[in-house]
């Protein structure tokens, strides 16, 4: 009997592999359609950085830019049109290739303007706008898990909008996101909204955590600190998964499930390995369990399909729940050796918002230049 390919075994274990990338070139070349039809991906995530790179590189958007320039579109209108057109087209590909996906799969995420990260009303308004413009049931609206974003998540879900809660770094924030989702579902149920179509994921970022914590461990330099190097991200994600199982098995949740609600799955994000001393599939291998999503850059997806390191044997695997006690000990160890863990995670949230704002502003500048060039051509 031949061994099950690594990616297929991960899917069999309950993980949904998604692609963390989208571009018009990928759509036009048929690459995305092939990834979907072959079963290698079950969803797509996007962010301002991805769209900036996609529009800045190559000629795939030239025709669209020329048409928008001729129509007198301003920069904001052009960005909204091009990004939502790509997301809608990708969503349609999934709808055709995966007519009956696992709940919450076959979807494409699009993010609200990151400049609204601390503006609840503005985030809600744009979530509604994106949901209306894309006009596909298999889209997620990405909302950052800031305090203001949490309120927006609840409101969006209450209105029947499917949400990808993003930029989660701490277990406390994960719990707050899950609570915001449950609050929204209860409001939706009480208002007579059908819960069955609503889906949500909670995006827990990984490699950025190790990139923030490990330099502190290196500076401490003690044997205990050195032994903890490279453990923070996976330990935090495993602990978040334990919180997921707790929250979505509670009596409060059971009432919602009876009304047709679906769990909000943890999504592992920022899974491209940045430290060359780590295995290139570590943020996949060490976080396999039922009811999770792993969104990967293409390099990580290909590496996973080729040589993911899974336990020997055949059939489903779980590399999270057997290690929950170890994860708790590792997080305690970080505090014990003097790592200001919670402070570092709070900094990562602020830095993440700031980074996405920079990417958004770069995207606006890229499109502004493209429109100007098209009008003078």
């Amino acid at each position: 009997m031949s061994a099950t390919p690594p990616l297929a075994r991960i899917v069999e274990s309950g993980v949904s592999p998604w692609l963390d990338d989208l571009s018009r070139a990928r759509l036009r070349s048929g690459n995305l359609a092939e990834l979907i039809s072959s079963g290698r991906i079950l969803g797509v995530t996007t962010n301002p950085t991805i769209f900036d790179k996609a529009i800045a590189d190559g000629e795939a958007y030239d025709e669209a830019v020329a048409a928008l320039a001729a129509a007198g579109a301003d920069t904001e209108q052009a960005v909204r049109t091009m990004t939502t057109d790509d997301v809608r087209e990708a969503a349609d590909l999934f709808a055709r290739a995966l007519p009956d996906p696992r709940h919450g799969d076959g979807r494409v995420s699009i993010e609200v303007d990151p400049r609204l990260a601390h503006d609840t009303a503005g985030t809600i308004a744009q979530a509604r706008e994106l949901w209306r413009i894309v006009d596909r049931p298999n889209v997620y609206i990405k909302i950052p898990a800031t305090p203001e974003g949490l309120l927006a998540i609840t409101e969006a879900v209450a209105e029947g909008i499917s949400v990808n809660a993003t930029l989660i770094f701490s277990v406390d924030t994960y719990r707050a996101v899950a609570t915001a989702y449950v609050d929204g579902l209860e409001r939706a149920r009480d208002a007579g909204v059908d819960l069955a179509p609503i889906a949500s994921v909670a995006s827990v970022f990984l490699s950025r955590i190790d990139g923030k914590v490990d330099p502190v461990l290196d500076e401490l330099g003690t044997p205990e600190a050195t032994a903890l190097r490279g453990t923070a991200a996976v330990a935090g994600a495993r602990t978040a998964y334990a919180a997921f199982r707790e929250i979505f098995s509670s009596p409060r949740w059971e009432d919602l499930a009876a009304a047709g609600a679906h769990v909000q799955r943890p999504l592992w994000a920022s899974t491209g390995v940045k430290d060359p001393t780590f295995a290139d599939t570590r943020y996949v291998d060490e976080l396999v369990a039922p009811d999770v999503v792993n969104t990967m850059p293409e390099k990580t997806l290909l590496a996973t399909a080729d040589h993911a390191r899974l336990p020997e044997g055949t059939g489903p695997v779980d590399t999270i729940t057997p290690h929950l006690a170890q994860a708790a000990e590792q997080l305690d160890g970080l505090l014990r050796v003097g790592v200001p863990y919670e402070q570092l995670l709070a900094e990562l949230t602020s830095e993440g918002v700031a980074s996405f704002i920079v990417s958004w502003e770069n995207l606006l500048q890229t499109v502004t230049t493209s429109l100007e060039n098209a009008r003078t051509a």
Side-chain angles (χ1 to χ4, degrees), residues 343-375:
Q343 176 188 328
L344 295 179
L345 298 187
E347 290 174 3
L348 280 169
T349 301
S350 298
E351 292 165 2
V353 171
S355 173
F356 277 3
I357 289 173
V358 169
S359 294
W360 186 261
E361 291 174 344
N362 289 342
L363 170 60
L364 293 176
Q365 184 56 55
T366 295
V367 173
T368 296
T369 302
S370 296
L371 288 170
E372 290 172 351
N373 290 341
R375 288 180 178 123

Side-chain angles (χ1 to χ4, degrees), residues 321-342:
T321 51
H323 306 291
L324 293 178
Q326 179 191 40
E329 174 59 27
Q330 288 167 335
L331 294 181
D332 287 343
L334 293 172
L335 300 177
R336 193 165 52 246
V337 301
V339 173
Y341 180 65
E342 294 298 333

Side-chain angles (χ1 to χ4, degrees), residues 28 48 60 65 71 75 114 119 153 164 167 233 247 261 284 286 327 367 373:
R28 295 292 174 266
V65 169
T75 297
D119 178 351
I153 289 166
N164 176 343
L167 281 177
I247 292 166
V284 181
E286 300 187 29
V367 173
N373 290 341

